[in-house]
Amino acid sequence: MATETTLILFKPDAVSKGLVGTVLSRYENEGFKVKGLKMMALSDEILAEHYSHIADKPFFPDVRSFMQESPVVALALEGEDVISRVRDLLGPTDSKEAAAGTIRGDFGDKGGDAKMRNVCHASDSPEAAEAELKRFFNPGEIVA
Ligand code: ADP
């Protein structure tokens, strides 16, 4: 097992529902450490880059609008195997398919927006984490 750092975004649904503290506690209760934390509004440009893998999907404009409903909270989180363990804590993309006890299962949208309003983004590989940490944090904003 390796000590890794992952990039998490608390999406606008998490911010508007007041879930940032509750979800952050789940991460901290796993023993993961906060290494960087800030609020930021996401531009069209950063969203096009971050979601380039879904940019050609018909739902992409809705995802972009959703991600711009409010600033998001960006979190750099460190721990053993944190990248895959946070993905397990989150559950699958579709909140309706996410098991109870997972973050998306407990807090994601259970209506027509279940695939979109799913509380948090988290990096899905070491390569993605490295690129995404650079995308959302400036040098010096992540502590050693
Ligand atoms: P994940 O965030 O679980 O890694 P993806 O990278 O596939 O999922 O998709 C990025 C984000 O785009 C999702 O978290 C979700 O907010 C949105 N999304 C994915 N698929 C759909 C869909 N079919 N309809 C609406 N929004 C979607």
Side-chain angles (χ1 to χ4, degrees):
M1 283 202 303
T3 300
E4 304 169 327
T5 306
T6 195
L7 181 279
I8 292 169
L9 300 176
F10 292 78
K11 298 185 182 187
D13 59 329
V15 174
S16 68
K17 290 179 184 169
L19 290 170
V20 175
T22 300
V23 174
L24 182 55
S25 288
R26 290 199 180 192
Y27 299 139
E28 290 190 307
N29 289 342
E30 290 290 312
F32 301 137
K33 299 291 178 209
V34 175
K35 291 289 174 169
L37 186 68
K38 64 176 178 181
M39 282 197 96
M40 59 192 296
L42 301 183
S43 65
D44 288 354
E45 289 71 26
I46 201 168
L47 283 169
E49 198 179 302
H50 183 61
Y51 283 137
S52 60
H53 62 293
I54 58 164
D56 60 345
K57 303 283 188 199
F59 56 81
F60 176 69
D62 289 341
V63 173
R64 185 177 53 212
S65 300
F66 162 54
M67 293 298 289
Q68 293 177 331
E69 282 177 5
S70 76
V72 301
V73 176
L75 167 66
L77 193 69
E78 183 191 81
E80 291 291 311
D81 253 347
V82 68
I83 297 168
S84 66
R85 284 172 62 199
V86 164
R87 295 283 296 191
D88 289 344
L89 289 176
L90 266 186
T93 308
D94 187 338
S95 302
K96 280 200 270 205
E97 289 178 3
T102 64
I103 290 165
R104 286 172 170 170
D106 291 350
F107 305 120
D109 186 275
K110 292 299 187 308
D113 283 338
K115 289 182 182 161
M116 185 171 79
R117 294 178 181 273
N118 56 11
V119 191
C120 282
H121 164 83
S123 307
D124 64 2
S125 68
E127 297 71 30
E130 187 181 356
E132 292 175 358
L133 288 163
K134 285 201 186 96
R135 182 173 301 141
F136 291 97
F137 285 95
N138 298 313
E141 289 182 334
I142 298 176
V143 301

